[in-house]
Amino acid sequence: MENRKSFYITTPIYYPSDNLHIGHAYTTVAADCMARFKRMQGYDVFYLTGTDEHGQKIERAAREKGMEPIDYIDGIVTNVKKLWQTLLISNTDFIRTTEQRQKEVVQKIFTRVYEQGDIFLSEYEGWYCSPCETFFTERQLTEGKCPDCGRDVEMLKEASYFFNMSKYAPRLLEHIENNPDFIQPESRRNEVVNFIKSGLEDLCVSRTTFQWGIPVPFNQSHVVYVWFDALINYLTGVGYLQDDELFAKYWPADVHLMAKDIIRFHAIIWPIMLMALDLPLPKKVMAHGWIMLEGGKMSKSKGNVIDPGILVNKYGVDAVRYYLIKELSFGQDGVYSEEILINRINSDLANDLGNLISRTAAMIIKYFAGVIPTAGTETELDLQLQEAAKQAFYEATEKLEKLDFSNYLHATSRLVSRANKYIDEAAPWQLAKDPFQTERLGTVMYNLIESIRIVLILTAPAMPTLMVRANQQLGLWGDSAKAVWNDAGKWGMTSSGAQVTRGEPLFPRVDVKTLEEEPAETSASAKTGSNQQELKAVHKTAEEDSITIEEFARLDLRVAEVIACEKMKKADKLLILSLKVGEEERTVVSGIAQHYTAEEMVGKKVVLLANLKPVKLRGVMSHGMILAASDDKQIDVLMVSKDIDSGERVK
Ligand code: ME8
């Protein structure tokens, strides 16, 4: 245990000026996914998060409520910690900048940097944005307003301590150049480099205009600038100047994760502070994009802030975490909508992953009395599935190492799709009809179980409760806390003979229509996925999925007459049909060419799904879809045999 490799990851410490929202949850969940991944790889992980509690903004928020800052913050911090529990955040420590340990370290650092001459007393005059706690020069303002938040700024003059940043700028530029991975993604690195090259000014690191901060130890009328204080949390959290052993083990940090809004603080001011302290720099500073709402940014004043606790309450913790991790592409902004969240749950989790597991369990119960069979001789198809599993392992690992969270889950989704396709291709229901195929049927079941085992390991950093829930049904491997990442790279680890049971659906489907109808819920009693299904009548299982007659009526099914038909060039399977639907004519592309000739289709009356969204197939727009029954050998297009006019409804 002692000489395990260490991994230290941090989130920003958030302002407890108000309760946190889904943007903060994104960073914290993503960092948690990384921490869990590294633990599964065998690293000794330190995951630090916390709250940034000093400064004028917090002081004002408290005073507006008629409270002392610390009383106000204590309430919010309790909620923050509760939220992280709800989201199953596995942080090692939670640091508050109002703690004594932080005060001591900040004061010692301030004194040291002052004594070595990098901090000096001078007078500051400049444009000050109090919500952002930041001074700006004239040229930094945007149309006379704060360049960060767009609000009014005021001219302030005060005696202040300054930090000589320009002295370290050449060293920082050199470091960035020699360590291309230091700032990620590349667009942010370029932004930072340009900013440094445009010339760094001395940074004002103390304030006299308010008291809510850590006093400058040798001049008590000043408090330390909130960012100078806040950044130091990353050192205090792992014992700097207080626990040498802990500090030696974890510093330098492997990753500071944040959104792009605060990249300059982390990629310029922070490294320069560390250089002044003669400490090694963090290995990576990674800035992800913003979660936006369809109407723009989230903000309390617009009243459009999304509470992640409520979402967990409605949809379960695994689903919410999965959605967050998958939704933001590397470094890009993304748009949150509850509808997209529901669609992800229904398509990726209920239809694809949930069904893969429940179908496999159901088949093992049906064909092998619930006992996992042994694998026999492997076919080409089996090897393809194994290859897909190997690929998913490599890609998921590679993407996570790069903090490319979204593509990590795309890699696992591809394996799920491949396994579902394997079921269709291996056609176990056909094998089951033939007593000589029992061994083959067993092999197919075993391969499915193996694929599921691998999927469960690969998705465990994102969805911490899934493995336990699924394993209760599959009678397999323990829980995600003990899962070993590299076991996902090995094929054949499942022992045959375990008993499979049919359990509750892992991801109940959610009806999008209920979005408008549902009353808001409080986040106080968040549910985990395992008891989700008790929650709402609107949650339905994939298997018992039933729809109302009104929902069925949304399908506009019509009798359509084929008036012309031709084969699509360079496509074996496609016919282009010209259909008469009442007075209307339309073109539909259909994949029936291997079962019907163009000539034999002409004059037939078929059933058309008329209100399907048009799609382009091989360059031809298809306006609808004709219905057909099929198995893996044949296709039988549904025809209307009586003389019913085209355009009539099918219901
Ligand atoms: O900046 N999309 O705290 P903060 C994505 N106290 N991420 C978001 C987001 C959104 N819409 N909104 C917030 C501070 N975040 C300082 C940090 S660190 C030494 C001091 C996340 O409460 C994202 O990680 O304003 C962003 O960088 C951070 O919250 C800002 O949190």
Side-chain angles (χ1 to χ4, degrees):
M1 287 298 256
E2 275 312 299
N3 44 18
R4 274 193 302 158
K5 280 181 291 178
S6 67
F7 186 82
Y8 177 28
I9 184 164
T10 67
T11 70
I13 47 170
Y14 306 111
Y15 291 126
S17 46
D18 219 322
N19 285 328
L20 302 188
H21 57 64
I22 195 170
H24 304 103
Y26 175 76
T27 316
T28 315
V29 164
D32 188 64
C33 179
M34 195 65 193
R36 286 173 183 272
F37 162 61
K38 284 286 159 189
R39 279 188 209 111
M40 286 172 73
Q41 280 189 323
Y43 283 78
D44 182 340
V45 173
F46 200 103
Y47 172 17
L48 184 68
T49 188
T51 38
D52 181 1
E53 306 188 357
H54 290 127
Q56 200 167 17
K57 192 156 83 174
I58 306 283
E59 191 178 35
R60 277 194 190 152
R63 302 274 181 236
E64 272 166 24
K65 299 254 187 311
M67 294 170 85
E68 283 304 312
I70 195 66
D71 297 334
Y72 175 71
I73 300 164
D74 279 349
I76 306 260
V77 170
T78 304
N79 294 344
V80 172
K81 287 184 173 170
K82 229 190 261 169
L83 179 61
W84 296 157
Q85 276 170 13
T86 300
L87 280 162
L88 299 179
I89 302 302
S90 61
N91 53 305
T92 317
D93 199 352
F94 186 102
I95 185 162
R96 302 181 55 174
T97 53
T98 48
E99 288 171 44
Q100 185 60 22
R101 57 173 170 166
Q102 170 78 352
K103 182 177 171 191
E104 279 172 21
V105 175
V106 168
Q107 290 190 327
K108 281 183 186 159
I109 288 177
F110 201 95
T111 307
R112 170 172 166 186
V113 182
Y114 174 74
E115 283 172 355
Q116 74 192 32
D118 288 334
I119 285 179
F120 56 93
L121 188 63
S122 181
E123 194 165 71
Y124 192 84
E125 192 175 32
W127 294 104
Y128 186 64
C129 174
S130 63
C132 296
E133 320 260 347
T134 311
F135 273 102
F136 297 100
T137 59
E138 186 84 38
R139 81 181 162 107
Q140 285 174 322
L141 300 181
T142 308
E143 294 171 0
K145 308 259 184 194
C146 170
D148 288 342
C149 73
R151 278 179 270 215
D152 286 337
V153 288
E154 52 191 323
M155 179 55 87
L156 280 189
K157 191 174 179 181
E158 57 177 6
S160 294
Y161 289 93
F162 285 84
F163 179 37
N164 180 358
M165 298 229 298
S166 52
K167 171 177 162 188
Y168 294 95
R171 251 177 77 188
L172 179 56
L173 277 174
E174 195 185 314
H175 182 84
I176 295 172
E177 207 156 283
N178 294 339
N179 298 275
D181 278 349
F182 176 52
I183 303 168
Q184 286 292 315
E186 207 179 316
S187 54
R188 297 291 148 222
R189 181 172 69 231
N190 298 340
E191 172 197 316
V192 166
V193 167
N194 291 339
F195 191 85
I196 302 171
K197 284 185 175 161
S198 73
L200 294 184
E201 289 167 17
D202 295 331
L203 179 73
C204 179
V205 287
S206 74
R207 301 286 186 264
T208 51
T209 45
F210 59 90
Q211 275 81 51
W212 183 240
I214 297 178
V216 170
F218 45 86
N219 188 344
Q220 302 271 327
S221 58
H222 292 250
V223 291
V224 175
Y225 170 46
V226 68
W227 270 101
F228 194 90
D229 164 2
L231 288 161
I232 288 171
N233 94 85
Y234 300 132
L235 293 178
T236 312
V238 286
Y240 182 58
L241 301 180
Q242 293 176 341
D243 182 341
D244 293 345
E245 203 182 318
L246 190 74
F247 188 67
K249 189 158 162 197
Y250 294 109
W251 193 262
D254 290 83
V255 184
H256 292 313
L257 188 65
M258 74 214 68
K260 59 190 180 183
D261 54 336
I262 53 177
I263 184 76
R264 288 186 197 169
F265 294 96
H266 285 81
I268 302 175
I269 299 177
W270 180 228
I272 288 181
M273 285 168 69
L274 292 167
M275 283 175 181
L277 294 170
D278 268 328
L279 286 173
L281 303 193
K283 293 180 202 152
K284 192 176 285 192
V285 175
M286 162 76 194
H288 58 73
W290 280 100
I291 298 186
M292 312 284 284
L293 295 181
E294 268 148 2
K297 265 192 171 179
M298 244 176 286
S299 83
K300 277 276 170 194
S301 55
K302 285 192 201 161
N304 61 357
V305 168
I306 307 295
D307 178 345
I310 292 178
L311 295 180
V312 171
N313 213 5
K314 280 164 88 172
Y315 304 114
V317 64
D318 282 339
V320 172
R321 287 177 57 117
Y322 178 90
Y323 164 77
L324 286 173
I325 293 171
K326 196 160 187 187
E327 217 49 35
L328 272 198
S329 298
F330 190 67
Q332 307 288 311
D333 292 343
V335 175
Y336 166 81
S337 98
E338 196 159 346
E339 205 170 329
I340 304 175
L341 164 62
I342 292 175
N343 286 339
R344 273 259 185 264
I345 295 174
N346 287 345
S347 65
D348 288 21
L349 298 179
N351 281 0
D352 295 349
L353 180 53
N355 263 355
L356 172 66
I357 295 172
S358 64
R359 278 168 95 187
T360 303
M363 288 190 288
I364 293 177
I365 290 165
K366 187 167 169 193
Y367 303 138
F368 293 95
V371 179
I372 297 177
T374 42
T377 318
E378 281 164 348
T379 65
E380 180 55 35
L381 185 64
D382 304 337
L383 296 177
Q384 283 172 13
L385 182 67
Q386 290 180 24
E387 185 53 38
K390 206 194 239 170
Q391 192 65 24
F393 170 70
Y394 283 124
E395 269 183 46
T397 310
E398 187 208 339
K399 300 301 176 194
L400 273 177
E401 295 287 4
K402 288 186 180 155
L403 303 153
D404 184 352
F405 297 103
S406 171
N407 278 322
Y408 142 62
L409 282 182
H410 278 286
T412 65
S413 294
R414 277 194 288 277
L415 176 56
V416 172
S417 303
R418 185 65 194 88
N420 274 320
K421 195 161 158 245
Y422 174 85
I423 300 183
D424 297 339
E425 289 169 343
W429 47 90
Q430 303 277 15
L431 300 172
K433 288 181 195 152
D434 181 351
F436 292 106
Q437 295 281 17
T438 307
E439 184 194 311
R440 175 73 198 134
L441 184 60
T443 308
V444 171
M445 293 304 116
Y446 184 85
N447 288 341
L448 285 169
I449 281 285
E450 263 303 271
S451 309
I452 293 170
R453 178 187 66 85
I454 291 169
V455 166
L456 292 177
I457 294 176
L458 296 181
T459 53
M463 295 190 279
T465 80
L466 176 62
M467 188 179 272
V468 180
R469 295 190 292 127
N471 286 345
Q472 279 162 1
Q473 297 188 24
L474 299 172
L476 305 174
W477 343 278
D479 66 53
S480 50
K482 297 189 197 104
V484 174
W485 182 261
N486 284 347
D487 285 351
K490 298 171 191 159
W491 187 269
M493 288 190 71
T494 299
S495 351
S496 309
Q499 184 71 38
V500 170
T501 52
R502 190 83 196 244
E504 296 292 340
L506 296 165
F507 296 104
R509 285 179 66 80
V510 183
D511 189 344
V512 186
K513 269 178 64 188
T514 58
L515 260 184
E516 298 91 48
E517 296 159 18
E518 280 186 37
E521 289 166 41
T522 61
S523 56
S525 59
K527 298 273 192 286
T528 61
S530 55
N531 48 12
Q532 264 173 324
Q533 50 278 356
E534 302 151 16
L535 210 59
K536 293 250 160 312
V538 302
H539 288 173
K540 290 173 299 191
T541 70
E543 297 83 6
E544 306 150 8
D545 206 355
S546 54
I547 61 169
T548 61
I549 190 77
E550 290 76 15
E551 284 169 308
F552 174 71
R554 291 191 61 213
L555 304 178
D556 188 12
L557 295 167
R558 301 278 170 171
V559 176
E561 186 180 349
V562 183
I563 49 175
C565 186
E566 62 174 305
K567 200 157 175 298
M568 171 95 76
K569 290 193 186 74
K570 293 193 189 147
D572 308 334
K573 294 189 180 156
L574 301 180
L575 289 184
I576 307 172
L577 304 143
S578 300
L579 301 177
K580 182 168 172 291
V581 192
E583 296 311 305
E584 195 195 331
E585 258 188 49
R586 33 167 111 190
T587 303
V588 167
V589 177
S590 180
I592 55 172
Q594 288 175 332
H595 305 270
Y596 292 88
T597 63
E599 296 73 33
E600 83 183 285
M601 287 306 294
V602 177
K604 298 278 182 340
K605 281 189 178 154
V606 296
V607 178
L608 171 74
L609 176 59
N611 61 344
L612 188 69
K613 244 191 196 154
V615 285
K616 206 177 226 176
L617 293 166
R618 301 286 181 101
V620 177
M621 280 309 287
S622 179
H623 295 266
M625 178 176 84
I626 63 168
L627 302 192
S630 67
D631 60 19
D632 37 346
K633 290 199 199 75
Q634 43 188 349
I635 289 184
D636 191 7
V637 173
L638 298 189
M639 310 257 182
V640 178
S641 52
K642 291 194 177 162
D643 192 17
I644 293 178
D645 284 346
S646 81
E648 290 299 333
R649 274 201 89 141
V650 178
K651 45 189 194 243

